[in-house]
Amino acid sequence: MGALAAAIAAGLAAIGAGIGNGLIVKSTLEGVARQPELRGTLQTIMFTGIALVEALPIIAIVIAFIVM
């Protein structure tokens, strides 16, 4: 049962991170399309946001290993 819980936790975290990354990139592209001169600033903020979103699956994997 613990293995199933770990697999579900890791899978949902990966799906959530994928959706989150997609929304971040979409919003960044919209911002660059509206104001191309802010490309560098928006890109920096995008990479910071993606790094924070990618921390979620890593934490979920650690918790999944602890559950097992």
Side-chain angles (χ1 to χ4, degrees):
M1 204 61 170
L4 180 62
I8 290 172
L12 289 176
I15 289 171
I19 292 170
N21 284 339
L23 291 173
I24 290 170
V25 172
K26 176 187 84 92
S27 297
T28 302
L29 287 176
E30 287 176 356
V32 170
R34 290 177 191 226
Q35 295 181 323
E37 66 274 4
L38 293 178
R39 180 177 165 257
T41 304
L42 291 173
Q43 214 170 19
T44 303
I45 294 170
M46 178 190 74
F47 287 137
T48 304
I50 286 176
L52 293 173
V53 169
E54 284 298 322
L56 175 70
I58 294 169
I59 293 169
I61 293 294
V62 170
I63 291 173
F65 283 139
I66 291 172
V67 167
M68 292 178 64

